[in-house]
Amino acid sequence: MPLDPRIPHADLTYRIIGAAMRVHSRLGPGLREAHYHRALTAELLADGLTVEEEHQIDVYDGDNWLGRMFIDQWVEGKIVVEVKALQHLLTDEEVAQVIGYLIASNAPVGMLINFGRRRLEYRRILPPRKTDDWKHKVERFLWKPRE
């Protein structure tokens, strides 16, 4: 089956999905998110991909610092990967988190991967065409130090 030409970096997202499937096959569901995060990073590196863990993005509104986002894995300097270990199916809330990361990072595609179920769940996510007022919609995903 040929890769979908409408998906940016379809070849890389295909490799990320394969790495996630190998991790899920080995570990199964039931572990903490951090375990899957480390295992996926190791698998992606073994596959020859570059991975930056906890990639930081500072979000500003003009000169006003709103907070910081942490992308679980920043693959090849262009793909957002968000890892979850949830027993429930992925929701719009998790998808919204990835969309926020896509807009903040200007990435062309993101991967949302849930290792917490019996069967691996994953989604390729593209940024929305319209991004007006996005900074106010992602506040819940921003980190700020306590004052």
Side-chain angles (χ1 to χ4, degrees), residues 2-19:
L3 299 174
D4 188 341
R6 297 171 297 176
I7 304 290
H9 306 296
D11 56 334
L12 293 174
T13 60
Y14 183 80
R15 288 172 66 187
I16 294 166
I17 293 165

Side-chain angles (χ1 to χ4, degrees), residues 5 21 33 85 98 110 114 132:
M21 286 180 171
E33 185 176 304
V98 174
N114 184 14
D132 301 343

Side-chain angles (χ1 to χ4, degrees), residues 62-75:
D63 291 337
N64 185 29
W65 183 72
L66 299 177
R68 184 171 291 142
M69 292 181 154
F70 293 92
I71 296 173
D72 284 346
Q73 285 136 335
W74 182 237
V75 179

Side-chain angles (χ1 to χ4, degrees), residues 39-58:
L40 182 58
T41 295
E43 192 69 35
L44 292 169
L45 290 170
D47 193 28
L49 297 172
T50 59
V51 181
E52 182 184 341
E53 294 183 302
E54 298 298 326
H55 178 71
Q56 296 180 30
I57 299 173
D58 286 315

Side-chain angles (χ1 to χ4, degrees), residues 20-36:
M21 286 180 171
R22 290 188 296 276
V23 167
H24 192 267
S25 178
R26 276 196 316 271
L27 300 179
L31 300 176
R32 293 182 180 261
E33 185 176 304
H35 298 119
Y36 297 111

Side-chain angles (χ1 to χ4, degrees), residues 95-96 98-100 102-103 107-108 125-132 134:
V95 172
V98 174
I99 290 171
L102 288 173
I103 296 168
I125 300 171
L126 302 176
R129 288 191 172 112
K130 200 170 181 192
T131 59
D132 301 343
W134 72 271

